[in-house]
Amino acid sequence: MKLPRPRGKLSEALVADLTGGRALDHAGDPDGPDDLHLSLWMLYELHYRGFEDVDDRREWDPRLLAVRAELETSFEDGLREDVGEVLAAADEAEDLVSQLAAIASHEGEASVSQFLHRRATAAQYREFLIERSLYHLKESDPHAWAVPRLDGAAKVALAELQYDEFGGGRPDRLHSALFARALEEAGLDASYGAYVDRVSWHTLAVNNAMSLFGLHRRFRGSAMGHLAAFEMTSPLACRRYLQGAQRLEMGAAVEHYFDEHIEADAVHEEIAARTICGSLAETEPELVDDILFGAAACVHLDEVVARHAIDAWTAGGSVLLGGDTSEVA
Ligand SMILES: [Fe+2]
Ligand SMILES: [Fe+2]
């Protein structure tokens, strides 16, 4: 993957540093959320697939890790402030699974799945696939960081869930490969990270939250709470995405991806909420607040993305940076 285009002084300095230019010492004050989240996303990608022009050894460069830590602190602080309303949905619930269910069913005022189901045009549907490609082309990778950080029933259940996400023994069944086929069928570029320059900070933040939780052992509870909320909100949304794809005749591979997830994620939500989070809370009860924080972060950031998308689409505009998809495909 190529390095993305900078979006401010921090991402510009980071790209310069990664390509052998002047060393970056501090994050300083990023030029707004696009600059912050793109920089954080680049630093996280060093742990996934890396970049063509960047030495793989930079993954563990202490200077870059220090910059990353600065950005993570401001991201985490902001998230903790912002999840309050979603988290409050769990107040009345009595046990952890009901608390997770209450968080997962928190309704924001905007719903992408409802919009795609009934109102979206094919161009808007393609924009949705583009935004989602950032995550789905590495589907389940961020949660895999948690495997060595868990033990017992939680570890076994996470491995069971991920066996499915990672193809159940068949490379052509990797969920990331199913999504790549959906992108191709929609006439889009299915190469990893192809659209990073087109997605706004809202989508980058969704991805960064998963990496933040996955890459820090202290956030193992939040990583699993995030996974639970992700799976619990998925079956209903995927049913609507499927119906939208059928209405717009997006093609068999697009339909197949979402159809597959209606049933798969109904199983995954049970595994994630009850077995993974449930066992984790039993063996490490001090992690319950972290589990709920991760779940609330997932739902809150989904709402942030949804509000941004629906505002753009209902105003007749594009959710993508640089305009609509006519020149994307
Ligand atoms: Fe999946
Ligand atoms: Fe799943």
Side-chain angles (χ1 to χ4, degrees):
M1 172 176 43
K2 294 203 181 318
L3 280 163
R5 271 197 297 272
R7 297 185 194 176
K9 62 176 180 300
L10 174 61
S11 45
E12 196 170 335
L14 180 56
V15 166
D17 181 324
L18 288 169
T19 49
R22 201 152 66 88
L24 177 63
D25 285 323
H26 296 290
D29 244 348
D31 288 331
D34 266 296
D35 195 27
L36 183 152
H37 280 291
L38 182 67
S39 302
L40 189 51
W41 184 86
M42 281 191 268
L43 291 164
Y44 282 145
E45 278 304 310
L46 296 173
H47 300 284
Y48 293 95
R49 317 279 171 97
F51 299 97
E52 277 167 38
D53 302 327
V54 179
D55 187 332
D56 286 346
R57 280 173 290 203
R58 301 302 302 280
E59 179 183 2
W60 297 108
D61 181 330
R63 242 181 342 92
L64 293 180
L65 294 175
V67 170
R68 198 186 86 185
E70 278 183 72
L71 300 178
E72 285 173 324
T73 300
S74 76
F75 183 31
E76 180 188 344
D77 290 350
L79 259 185
R80 288 197 186 278
E81 263 176 43
D82 293 344
V83 297
E85 193 202 315
V86 177
L87 212 45
D91 281 353
E92 306 292 302
E94 282 176 8
D95 55 64
L96 179 64
V97 175
S98 325
Q99 287 175 307
L100 289 169
I103 288 171
S105 51
H106 182 268
E107 299 261 0
E109 73 257 34
S111 162
V112 168
S113 63
Q114 278 175 6
F115 190 89
L116 291 178
H117 179 192
R118 298 197 185 280
R119 294 179 58 189
T121 62
Q124 288 165 337
Y125 203 104
R126 277 201 297 277
E127 292 197 356
F128 159 73
L129 293 175
I130 285 171
E131 291 235 301
R132 286 301 190 94
S133 68
L134 222 59
Y135 170 65
H136 288 299
L137 291 176
K138 61 166 183 235
E139 188 163 325
S140 221
D141 286 351
H143 298 107
W145 301 116
V147 174
R149 292 161 182 173
L150 303 179
D151 200 3
K155 189 190 198 83
V156 171
L158 178 58
E160 180 190 351
L161 187 156
Q162 294 212 296
Y163 182 68
D164 214 15
E165 303 285 355
F166 294 143
R170 291 176 48 188
D172 62 316
R173 305 273 308 149
L174 265 170
H175 284 190
S176 55
L178 300 183
F179 197 79
R181 286 205 286 284
L183 287 171
E184 279 163 8
E185 194 174 60
L188 299 169
D189 189 343
S191 42
Y192 186 93
Y195 291 113
V196 63
D197 285 330
R198 304 300 305 270
V199 306
S200 65
W201 68 266
H202 312 78
T203 289
L204 293 171
V206 163
N207 284 269
N208 286 340
M210 288 187 260
S211 298
L212 171 72
F213 296 154
L215 284 165
H216 291 270
R217 193 173 60 83
R218 73 183 173 98
F219 277 130
R220 62 197 179 284
S222 301
M224 296 300 97
H226 183 286
L227 176 64
F230 189 95
E231 301 289 358
M232 291 169 112
T233 49
S234 173
L236 174 62
C238 284
R239 185 172 298 282
R240 292 175 178 152
Y241 299 145
L242 170 65
Q243 287 164 334
Q246 288 166 334
R247 176 177 63 80
L248 294 164
E249 299 182 358
M250 297 302 294
V254 179
E255 290 179 21
H256 177 64
Y257 177 85
F258 293 113
D259 199 13
E260 178 83 13
H261 279 80
I262 297 172
E263 270 187 48
D265 288 349
V267 176
H268 293 171
E269 73 169 272
E270 275 294 304
I271 299 176
R274 216 166 281 280
T275 319
I276 301 176
C277 293
S279 330
L280 196 54
E282 246 171 58
T283 52
E284 300 186 79
E286 69 281 7
L287 294 186
V288 166
D289 285 348
D290 291 341
I291 293 172
L292 296 175
F293 171 55
C298 174
V299 170
H300 163 71
L301 289 169
D302 257 8
E303 290 177 6
V304 167
V305 165
R307 213 172 307 127
H308 172 66
I310 304 295
D311 284 353
W313 288 334
T314 51
S318 168
V319 74
L320 301 176
L321 299 179
D324 67 30
T325 51
S326 48
E327 84 278 17
V328 164

